[in-house]
Amino acid sequence: MDKVNIGLAPNSRQKVVSVLTDVIADQYVLYTKTRNYHWNVTGEDFAQYHELFEKQYSAIDEDIDDVAERIRALGAKTPATLGEFVRSATLKEHPGKFPSAKVMIANLLSDHETVIRNLRKGINICGDAGDAGTEDFLTQLIEKHEKTAWMLRATLEN
């Protein structure tokens, strides 16, 4: 890690960077899965879901960049390969699977809820490390994922 003098000990910064590395990995898998669904959704409500997924993956793409920049601000290099992301991610891909639109929505809802739970754990680690800035950053990410989860949940309701 680069020499950075921002009031956090190197071991504290490393703990926070580890949290952010896991966050960016899950964000990247979620982005890829959402983009996959955008490309492969079919059915009666194709246009609605195609547009919904595009809005969601575009928002996730912006968040990925923000997470990467947060890692850099803490003096570390940002993981940036698919292999690194897959190794660090808690979310799972489903290669060769093209579920119905409703199952796509349910899968994305589950993934967003997993991300929310992981972010809550990450906030606790950042708090223990004394990094209020990253705590706040992760709280804002939670709010975005909670809103998306609510929209997906509402879409599934009959």
Side-chain angles (χ1 to χ4, degrees), residues 5-156:
N5 186 10
I6 57 172
L8 291 174
N11 63 335
S12 292
R13 281 190 298 123
Q14 186 55 52
K15 288 177 186 175
V16 172
V17 167
S18 179
V19 167
L20 291 169
T21 297
D22 292 346
V23 169
I24 200 170
D26 276 342
Q27 294 287 86
Y28 215 89
V29 171
L30 184 57
Y31 166 84
T32 302
K33 188 181 286 188
T34 306
R35 186 137 203 166
N36 171 3
Y37 289 170
H38 166 77
W39 288 331
N40 290 300
V41 69
T42 59
E44 170 180 324
D45 295 320
F46 163 80
Q48 171 191 340
Y49 293 136
H50 186 74
E51 185 177 325
L52 174 70
F53 296 150
E54 183 174 9
K55 286 179 183 174
Q56 289 180 359
Y57 76 68
S58 295
I60 295 166
D61 185 43
E62 289 179 24
D63 293 339
I64 288 168
D65 193 55
D66 291 342
V67 175
E69 290 174 358
R70 183 76 192 152
I71 292 169
R72 294 297 294 137
L74 292 168
K77 297 291 186 192
T78 300
T81 67
L82 297 177
E84 290 169 309
F85 295 144
V86 169
R87 277 192 302 277
S88 295
T90 60
L91 301 182
K92 301 298 175 210
E93 295 183 301
H94 307 285
K97 307 268 185 199
F98 304 100
S100 69
K102 290 292 185 185
V103 172
M104 289 176 176
I105 297 285
N107 289 346
L108 292 176
L109 172 58
S110 176
D111 286 349
H112 280 278
E113 289 177 338
T114 297
V115 167
I116 291 164
R117 290 189 304 272
N118 290 342
L119 287 168
R120 289 187 195 290
K121 292 175 191 171
I123 286 171
N124 290 333
I125 293 167
C126 294
D128 292 344
D131 187 352
T134 303
E135 279 182 288
D136 181 58
F137 174 76
L138 295 179
T139 298
Q140 292 175 43
L141 274 180
I142 284 176
E143 291 171 0
K144 292 177 184 181
H145 284 282
E146 286 175 337
K147 183 173 182 179
T148 301
W150 159 60
M151 290 183 177
L152 293 169
R153 203 174 299 111
T155 301
L156 287 174

